[in-house]
């Protein structure tokens, strides 16, 4: 009998593990999920609502893929895990035995105990079911006269964009005094504030939700704002105040949990043959500047790739490389490489350049003493991942990065380039006299 | 703003309705003198046919082409039947009945349409253009800030294969059927553009002139839509301008002017084997008979296909032809843009694509080999097969039905590049070069892809771009026409069309950038 690997969760992390285990071995693989029959990209949920895509387009693999690769799919919600008998118990009463178990159950939207948070018309934006629910409650601006979004993160702004695309008036409550300023430096955060308002979204900064009021039928009627007591009539409330690991069903098992399922660098839990990856895994010790729980797409994928090696006999540590990420704020694309903190840490400083008119800017973070390049945020300019990864590995300093910035540009052809302008400002700020270097394919392709 | 759009739509639909009704309207009256001219011009020796037309058509009034056309084809069939029976081969008429009807129709059209060409042009083309622009221009404001504008594409009946999509499909297919197989019904359309044709080439318009003119008009109007929709993306603006220029100047104006100057009609950008009849006997003879310019065209045509095309593909990818120059591509990228998402992305469709397009390439090469053999050895058959039969089959099945009726007619159902993807032999040839010897690739930006699928959805060539991007692999595919839309719609800035050194162009990576280096080495090794 082949070893039976059971994966709970058919998201990016679970599916990546399965694919790589299949590449490396002949083990029996079963993926369990309660959400959808086939893997889809959660990141694309917004585009379905906005009419850019249909649900089928969010599925990266055709439906025959799973059979062909002998990956069994089981639909069902796991109620509990018995690690002694190595058995999963499902809500419907059936069970499944495993030899090795991988927990990849992702996240769920946070709810902070607001009065009325379980009314009809209150929803998160995480699962396929949330999308269906949204479609039901906000098909258009006749049914939904106003929606209130609570929580100014990446999912919050996506939800605002979604509703905006159907001309549904949106009030956007953000606890912070500027959008996402726990992550973004001030100049950038303010640019996004303005951009949100330009899209006629009613952005309320430094504003908290007090309660959600219901009408006689248990539907949302309005919300009350904590600070002012103002009542805002609305039909839908979107709760997007962050996510947390989706692990309630594990609480009664012997698997150690904190906020997430606790894992070591090999992604092993305290119980032999049980692993956790993706959004639901929590590192005992943070890796570098990374957070112990990283709820992003690519880390889930990387954990999956790593764990597949371990499961197939090649024990491998999870060692993510330099931090990077990307997002889009309505029309503005954002990329980041290395670390740029909202407020420079000790011995760090920022160099900021912004286009005088367009929503284009960069913030570069560096060490004050050695001038070493630490990271870059870019808005409205695409940059080459490989180049920054290399520069970070090579510990390049600011002068180098600024002179060779053309190597890193990744905008489509014929786009206006801003490297010269950026360098001029840099020269003026730091009293340097650097000359811009021409883009060189040779440098771009040379390995670090 | 929305009111302007709606009024525009109504005006456009009125123009379209009049245009669509024209084939069955109008009056025709053939007089003796005109008919005698036709007899002379066409060198008609069939007394049966001449008498038949004289007694049944000349001097009478007909309402609509549907009244006169059947009579002409009956006369023609009768005459040919008689001559065949009597073995009077010199009297047999080889002109197709629809061409004969078109010719007679053109010479005999007399009523309101024929006498008010300018007004009729305004009521059809004029209203169409004004209405369409009124529908499109408000988008500058309505679409809001510049950025990706795909909201609602899968909610709208027109772009989601709803009833409007099917209506467009029926209209386009019918239009192509008239054009290719019942051109006599295009007679009234030719009248509208006679003044333009006469200004350019000095001749009255035929149905192909109508088509060429309409092609330019549709592309121009829809290019305005492209400019507005993709105004944040300079690559799209550049490429739209380029195709528009090549269509209007190279495909439309230059050939007409060449005719005026007594030169052969030739589109300098139309490369063999897309231009499948370039080596046909009649064309070669025509070119040779035209002296200097003819020889120049012959050499140019050969050099274009054998030297210029591959060298340009080496440096820029096949996009330089397919989405910067080609007329088929030009229509696909303007009129067809709203339908690009309908291309089939399945692995199965990719298989069909490879079989089909390479079969067409083989077909055209075989046919051309036969043609050239026949031409030089001055025989009509090769290995017992008539060259002209093969040519006719190709012209009908590939040149008309595949490229026209299916290629464009099916836009709203199968997407805008059906011909370019499944049929075009030139695309197949360019594809080989692009795949195996080119500097072009779409670079994937390390590990930034979030597998959202926008790129694949909007790839008109049905390439599953995401399948590559999510593995950190560059996209090097023979079918990619470099439209750049995958790169435009990607919300994470993952894709970049670029020309660079050949080494490292194809980078099969299974573990993406961002991972620990040891792991990448480990996995990518095997
Ligand atoms: C709207 C939205 C936009 C996002 N955009 C981005 C982005 O742009 N970039 C980015 O990096 N990240 C983005 N993310 C985050 C990213 O999607 C997640 O980090 C990623 O999907 C996590 O993958 P996962 O495999 O860990 O878990 P998930 O994708 O959450 O998959 C877990 C699966 O397990 C199932 N499951 C859970 N519990 C059980 C159980 N007990 N029994 C059976 N099945 C169970 C769940 O139903 C789910 O199907 C976005 C998330 C959302 C919601
Ligand atoms: S891969 Fe991209 S550039 Fe190539 S045809 Fe498809 S969408 Fe256009
Ligand atoms: S559009 Fe961009 S992020 Fe989305 S799947 Fe394609 S390459 Fe990846």
């Amino acid at each position: 009998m082949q070893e039976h690997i059971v994966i709970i969760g058919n998201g990016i992390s679970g599916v990546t593990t399965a694919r790589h285990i299949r590449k490396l071995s002949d083990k029996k693989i079963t993926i369990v999920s309660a959400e959808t029959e086939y893997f889809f990209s959660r990141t694309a949920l917004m585009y379905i609502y906005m009419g850019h895509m249909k649900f089928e387009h969010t599925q990266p693999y055709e439906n025959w893929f799973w059979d062909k690769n002998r990956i069994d799919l089981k639909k069902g919600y796991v109620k509990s895990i018995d690690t002694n008998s190595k058995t999963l118990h499902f809500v419907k009463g059936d069970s499944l035995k495993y030899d090795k178990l991988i927990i990849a159950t992702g996240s769920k939207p946070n709810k902070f105990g607001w009065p009325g948070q379980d009314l009809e018309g209150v929803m998160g934006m995480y699962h396929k079911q949330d999308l269906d629910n949204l479609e039901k409650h906000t098909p258009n601006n006749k049914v939904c006269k106003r929606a209130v979004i609570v929580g100014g993160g990446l999912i919050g702004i996506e939800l605002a964009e979604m509703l905006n695309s159907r001309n549904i008036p949106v009030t956007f409550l953000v606890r912070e005094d500027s959008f996402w300023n726990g992550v973004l430096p001030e100049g950038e955060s303010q640019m996004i504030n303005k951009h949100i308002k330009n899209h006629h979204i009613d952005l309320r900064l430094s504003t908290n939700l007090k309660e959600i009021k219901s009408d006689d039928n248990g539907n949302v009627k309005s919300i009350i704002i904590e600070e002012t007591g103002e009542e805002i009539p609305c039909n839908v409330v979107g709760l997007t105040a962050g996510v947390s690991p989706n692990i309630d069903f594990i609480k009664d098992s012997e698997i150690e949990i904190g906020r997430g399922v606790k894992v070591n660098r090999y992604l092993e839990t305290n119980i032999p043959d049980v692993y956790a990856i993706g959004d639901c895994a929590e590192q005992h010790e943070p890796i570098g500047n990374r957070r112990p729980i990283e709820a992003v797409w690519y880390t889930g994928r990387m954990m999956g790739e790593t764990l597949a090696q371990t499961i197939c006999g090649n024990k491998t540590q999870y060692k993510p490389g330099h931090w990077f990420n990307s997002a889009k704020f309505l029309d503005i694309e954002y990329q980041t490489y290395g670390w740029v903190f909202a407020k420079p840490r000790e011995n760090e400083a920022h160099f900021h350049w912004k286009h005088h008119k367009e929503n284009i800017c960069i913030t570069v973070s560096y060490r004050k003493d050695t001038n070493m390049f630490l990271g870059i945020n870019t808005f409205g300019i695409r940059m080459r991942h490989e180049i920054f990864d290399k520069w970070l590995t090579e510990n390049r300093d600011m002068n180098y990065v600024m002179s060779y910035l053309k190597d890193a540009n990744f905008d489509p052809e014929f786009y206006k380039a801003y490297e010269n302008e950026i360098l001029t400002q840099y020269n003026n700020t730091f009293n340097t006299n650097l000359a811009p270097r021409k883009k060189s394919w040779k440098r771009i392709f040379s390995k670090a | 703003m929305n009111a302007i759009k709606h009024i525009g739509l109504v005006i456009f639909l009125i123009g379209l309705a009049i245009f669509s009704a024209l084939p069955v309207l109008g009056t025709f009256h053939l007089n003796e003198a005109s008919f005698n001219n036709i007899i002379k011009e066409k060198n008609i020796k069939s007394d049966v046919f001449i008498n038949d037309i004289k007694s049944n058509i000349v001097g009478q009034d007909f309402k609509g082409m549907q009244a006169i056309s059947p009579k002409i084809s009956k006369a023609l069939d009768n005459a040919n039947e008689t001559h065949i029976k009597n073995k009077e081969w010199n009297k047999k008429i080889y002109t197709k009945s629809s061409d004969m009807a078109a010719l007679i129709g053109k010479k005999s059209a007399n009523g309101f349409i024929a006498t008010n060409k300018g007004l009729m042009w305004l009521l059809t083309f004029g209203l169409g253009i004004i209405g369409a622009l009124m529908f499109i221009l408000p988008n500058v404001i309505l679409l809001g800030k510049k950025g990706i504008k795909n909201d609602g594409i899968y909610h709208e009946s027109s772009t989601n294969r709803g009833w409007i999509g099917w209506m467009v499909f029926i209209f386009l297919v019918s239009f192509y059927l008239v054009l290719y197989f019942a051109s006599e019904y295009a007679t009234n359309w030719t009248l509208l553009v006679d003044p333009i044709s006469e200004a350019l080439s000095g001749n009255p318009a035929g149905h192909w002139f109508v088509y060429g003119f309409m092609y330019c008009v549709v592309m121009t109007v829809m290019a305005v839509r492209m400019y507005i929709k993709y105004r944040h993306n300079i690559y799209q603006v550049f490429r739209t301008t380029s195709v528009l220029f090549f269509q209007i100047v190279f495909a439309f104006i230059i050939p007409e002017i060449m005719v005026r100057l007594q030169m052969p009609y030739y589109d300098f950008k139309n490369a063999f084997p897309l231009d499948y009849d370039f080596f046909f006997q009649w064309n070669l003879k025509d070119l040779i008979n035209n002296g200097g310019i003819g020889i120049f065209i012959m050499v140019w045509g050969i050099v274009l296909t054998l030297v210029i095309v591959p060298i340009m593909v080496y440096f820029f990818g096949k996009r330089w032809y397919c989405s910067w120059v080609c007329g088929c591509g030009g229509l696909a990228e303007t009129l067809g843009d709203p339908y690009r998402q309908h291309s089939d992305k399945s692995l199965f469709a990719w298989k069909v694509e490879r079989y089909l397009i390479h079969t067409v390439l083989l077909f055209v090469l075989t046919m051309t080999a036969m043609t050239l053999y026949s031409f030089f050895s001055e025989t009509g058959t090769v290995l017992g097969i008539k060259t002209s039969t093969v040519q006719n089959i190709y012209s009908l099945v590939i040149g008309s039905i595949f490229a026209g009726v299916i290629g464009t007619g099916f836009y709203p159902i199968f997407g805008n590049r059906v011909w370019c993807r499944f049929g075009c032999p030139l695309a197949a040839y360019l594809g080989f070069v692009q795949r195996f010897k080119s500097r072009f690739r779409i670079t994937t930006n390390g590990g930034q892809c979030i597998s959202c699928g926008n790129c694949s959805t909007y790839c008109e060539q049905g390439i599953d771009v995401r399948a590559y991007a999510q593995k950190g692999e560059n996209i090097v595919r023979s079918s990619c026409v470099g439209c750049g839309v995958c790169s435009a719609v990607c919300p994470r800035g993952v894709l970049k069309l670029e020309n660079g050194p050949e080494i490292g162009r194809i980078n099969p990576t299974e573990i993406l950038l961002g991972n620990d280096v040891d792991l990448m080495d480990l996995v990518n090794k095997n």
Side-chain angles (χ1 to χ4, degrees), chain A residues 19 41 43 49-52 57 59 62 305 309 314 319 321 326 335 337 382-385 411 413, chain B residues 151-155 319 347 445 447-448 450-451 458 466 487 492 496 498 510 514-516 522-523:
Chain A
R19 278 180 45 241
S41 293
T43 50
Y49 181 82
M50 287 163 57
H52 296 203
H57 297 123
Q59 299 179 332
E62 287 182 64
E305 291 162 350
Q309 295 286 334
N314 176 20
K319 283 197 275 181
S326 56
Q335 295 186 335
Y337 302 98
R382 296 175 174 181
M383 296 278 186
R384 217 177 268 272
H385 185 179
D411 271 338
E413 291 153 299
Chain B
D151 285 357
I153 285 190
Y154 277 103
H155 300 147
R319 57 188 176 144
L347 201 64
N445 203 8
Q448 287 283 25
I450 54 168
S451 302
Y458 288 93
R466 165 176 58 193
S487 158
R492 295 292 178 271
K496 178 169 163 66
E498 55 188 359
E510 190 51 54
N515 266 296
D516 152 35
L522 184 80
V523 177

Side-chain angles (χ1 to χ4, degrees), chain A residues 287-355:
Chain A
I287 303 171
N289 280 323
R290 287 171 182 263
R291 297 172 194 198
I293 299 177
E294 285 184 307
V296 287
W297 186 260
Y298 77 88
T299 52
R301 192 193 61 223
M302 283 172 13
M303 288 185 216
E305 291 162 350
T306 310
L307 182 57
Q309 295 286 334
T310 302
I311 299 253
C312 296
N314 176 20
K315 198 165 174 175
T316 307
Q317 263 198 16
Y318 172 55
K319 283 197 275 181
H322 301 292
W323 169 255
F324 68 95
N325 204 5
S326 56
K328 197 171 175 190
F329 305 101
L330 299 156
D331 298 320
I332 307 178
E333 285 179 21
Y334 154 70
Q335 295 186 335
T336 185
Y337 302 98
W339 291 109
V340 181
F341 296 107
K343 300 225 160 39
R345 297 189 173 174
E346 209 191 310
N347 204 5
E348 288 177 16
H350 286 172
F351 166 70
H352 181 70
W353 169 87
K354 180 168 183 333
H355 190 275

Side-chain angles (χ1 to χ4, degrees), chain B residues 301-333:
Chain B
I302 294 168
V303 171
L304 180 62
T305 296
L306 292 183
V307 183
I308 301 179
V309 160
I311 288 185
M312 291 287 281
V313 176
Y314 172 75
F315 283 107
F316 302 108
K318 86 195 233 190
R319 57 188 176 144
W320 86 269
Y321 196 86
C322 299
S323 52
W324 301 352
V325 170
C326 179
C328 305
L331 193 68
E333 297 292 353

